[in-house]
Amino acid sequence: MLNNKNGIIFGVANKRSIAWATALALHEAGAKLAFTYQGDRLKENVEELTNEAMPGSLLLSCDVSKQDEVDEAFRHIGEKFGRLDFLIHSIAFAPREALGGEYLNTSREAFLTALEISAYSLPQLARAAAPLMTEGGSIVSMSYYGAEKVVAGYNVMGVAKAALEASTRYLAKDLGPRNIRINAISAGPIQTLSARGVSDFSTMLKHHAERAPLGRNVEPREVGQTAVFLCSSMSSGITGEVIYVDCGYNIMGI
Ligand code: NAP
């Protein structure tokens, strides 16, 4: 489905990362992938994973809070790939103290950091990727239900996800004329490194599994398969959307 397609994936921290499950699905579909990691701390992890599953992958250091690293990563991509067909944005961060207690007490610093890394990075990366998407393209980011409803403890990250989802719509309008589509996947809760930062995450997992029509939590590979669909021509008429991959949790009322 993605033979001869080149993509870049932001957000593999370890084998539990949603970005890694997404990478495996994209690789299986035939895509050629590049990965970014944030600093040397994560380089080894990403190297170990890709050496085993997809040796020879292009690995680039990129902290989205540093514009020169973003510019350098895309310069490399341009050199090695020439054309880019898709980008996976699977990054988020908020200081731990802001992911619990009352949202009311969110500090200015925590708010700005969360919004910068988790939401501003989407237009930032889309702007850098667009010139390389010379034959159209697809951009996919990862959101969560806390963008639209209050999820206790998710706090400032919910506000950042609301900004991410609104950015998806505004970017879809800007990038549509270049045949670049952009969509967000709203994934149900998955046990990852970032998820551990959210207070009482295990209660969240249990609650979702009990209330979701499918009676379980989503598997990371199901998120990855949806990303394959969104990066392929099968989804050519879809842009600016938030697609739920949450076993149906979000449709439930009483
Ligand atoms: P994860 O494995 O911890 O991935 C988060 C990634 O963001 C890490 O690779 C992290 O790198 C990266 N990141 C943080 N700050 C960065 C920066 N300044 N520059 C570049 N990268 C940075 O956790 P995950 O759960 O798979 O999260 C992936 C995405 O899915 C996030 O957008 C998250 O909000 C979303 N999501 C998660 C769930 C869930 O339940 N897990 C549900 C819905 C949506 P470091 O480790 O170096 O910080």
Side-chain angles (χ1 to χ4, degrees), residues 11-13 17-19 38 41-42 62-65 90-93 117 142-144 154 161 187-190 192-195 201:
V12 175
S17 296
I18 294 175
Q38 196 206 162
R41 186 170 53 86
L42 288 181
C62 184
D63 177 339
V64 294
S65 67
S90 187
I91 60 187
F93 177 77
I117 305 300
M142 302 297 167
S143 192
Y144 175 62
Y154 201 61
K161 291 302 189 194
I190 294 171
T192 63
L193 193 63
S194 293
F201 188 76

Side-chain angles (χ1 to χ4, degrees), residues 2 11 35 64 66 84 86 89 98 104 106 113 125 130 134 138 140 146 169 177 186 191 201 207 212 218 253:
L2 295 176
F35 295 85
V64 294
K66 298 179 179 139
L84 192 63
F86 62 85
H89 175 291
L104 183 67
T106 308
T113 302
L125 296 181
T134 48
S138 174
V140 177
R169 293 184 281 273
S186 185
Q191 193 69 262
F201 188 76
H207 174 80
V218 74

Side-chain angles (χ1 to χ4, degrees), residues 139-161:
I139 299 171
V140 177
S141 72
M142 302 297 167
S143 192
Y144 175 62
Y145 186 64
E148 59 171 285
K149 291 284 192 289
V150 174
V151 173
Y154 201 61
N155 297 2
V156 72
M157 193 52 84
V159 176
K161 291 302 189 194

Side-chain angles (χ1 to χ4, degrees), residues 21-41:
T22 303
L24 290 172
L26 291 163
H27 173 72
E28 219 169 273
K32 186 162 131 195
L33 302 176
F35 295 85
T36 67
Y37 52 85
Q38 196 206 162
D40 286 339
R41 186 170 53 86

Side-chain angles (χ1 to χ4, degrees), residues 40 81 99 106 117 130 136 188 236 242:
D40 286 339
F81 281 3
L99 296 173
T106 308
I117 305 300
S236 56
V242 177

